Amino acid sequence: MGQFEYKNGVLHAEGVSVSQLAEEMSTPLYIYSHEALVSHFRAFDEAFSGVPHLICFAMKSNSNLAILRLFSELGGGLDIVSGGELFRGVEAGVPAERVVFAGVGKSDDEIAYALEQGVLMFNVESEDELRNIDRVAGRVGKPASIAVRVNPDVDPKTHPYISTGLKKSKFGIDIARAREQYRTAAELPNIRAIGLHCHIGSQITETGPFAEAAGKVADCVRVLREDSHDIRYVNVGGGLGITYHDEAPPTPAEYAGAILPQFKDLGCTLVFEPGRVISGNAGIMVTRVLYGKENEEKRFVIIDAGMNDLIRPALYQAYQGVLPVEEAVQSRPRRKVDLVGPVCESGDYLAQDRELPELQRNDLLAIMSSGAYGFTMASNYNSRPRPPEILVHGSEYHVIRERESYGDLIRGESIPAFITGESG
Ligand SMILES: *Cc1c(COP(=O)(O)O)cnc(C)c1O
């Protein structure tokens, strides 16, 4: 994470002191590096510069308007999974013809909204959904372009919660049934089957599963073309992993090297849906130490950020690096601790059994690799306002989302007269 480094003994995000930001903005807070976002996007883009392609950033990993607009300015589009995500994309000014719409449970309203906006295509996850998109498209009076999401039955060798390409998964349609799905699609009057989609999972750290899936997908496209379906887009999804701890994932160039040979004779536009590989290591979350506490078994460090602010460790037993913001803290004696939050759940931790320098009240900590599935998974559980998001650019920074207020917590709620006893 070259954009997050110690300078003069203090962790910086590019040219901005993290400790100064924490003073000004209070904690917890998310900080992203503009330079990291741009360089990660460009590395991916350049890996595929030799072939027609579209990078649809998986916005479920980070959906701040400023970040969506940044990738759009760089020529990218979006991979969306809900009407709300489409709304964010529209508000950010991302052209709808660069948006692909995935997800197993699209509602009629979401389908109609996407048709009205003119998204590039729907990634269809079941025959039921295919027939429903046809019906809604007929009602709206706009044909729907689609790609069927096939499930190639490839083991991505990642956490089971983020494996999506196995036969037992709820996602996609068995690749062996692709021909019949496209035959069905061809018979539906408001459907244009222009692509094939596949996404096998997330945080994948070797090229093998990608190459295997790409081979199966490319074979499938050839068969569909023989059946005279005009497949012009191959969407290979996202899932390229990043270094959280000691993983050594392939670079985008190595990933491209593994999959491009499978597609080179097809002449399709390749669509990608990278999320984590672009945003993950472009952000940190900063938190402050509140208290220490010890029992016979464990020593706890209690911080002001909880699982509502960053849920990955609690949800996936995910490892995230922890760095003291003041470099001098690194030289204190190390102890094994649990880093826990204020939320009333035993699962509320950001690190477990971690060797950290002895921490004292008011020490600042950076939770590394928090740019993906960090803020987007934050909630108001325990009525905790969500943290602000700050985008650093050189020695400047901009608050791209304000900290929520207590007022935000109760917006839209009301107490009916049959409870208060007041007459209305
Ligand atoms: C989550 C998801 C992605 C992004 O995954 P990353 O691991 O963040 O790259 C892409 N496509 C689909 C369909 C997804 O569900």
Side-chain angles (χ1 to χ4, degrees), residues 9 52 70 138 166 225 261 385 411:
L70 169 63
L166 285 167
R225 284 197 172 153
R411 195 170 50 204

Side-chain angles (χ1 to χ4, degrees), residues 154-166 200-206 209 239 241 276:
V154 168
D155 183 357
K157 306 195 176 80
T158 182
H159 191 282
Y161 286 12
I162 49 179
S163 294
T164 58
L166 285 167
I200 56 173
S202 205
Q203 184 53 15
I204 299 168
T205 53
E206 37 194 306
R276 185 191 317 266

Side-chain angles (χ1 to χ4, degrees), residues 54-69:
L54 176 64
I55 299 176
C56 292
F57 175 61
M59 66 176 281
K60 73 179 194 280
S61 74
N62 190 319
S63 60
N64 187 285
L65 296 189
I67 286 169
L68 305 184
R69 178 59 174 262

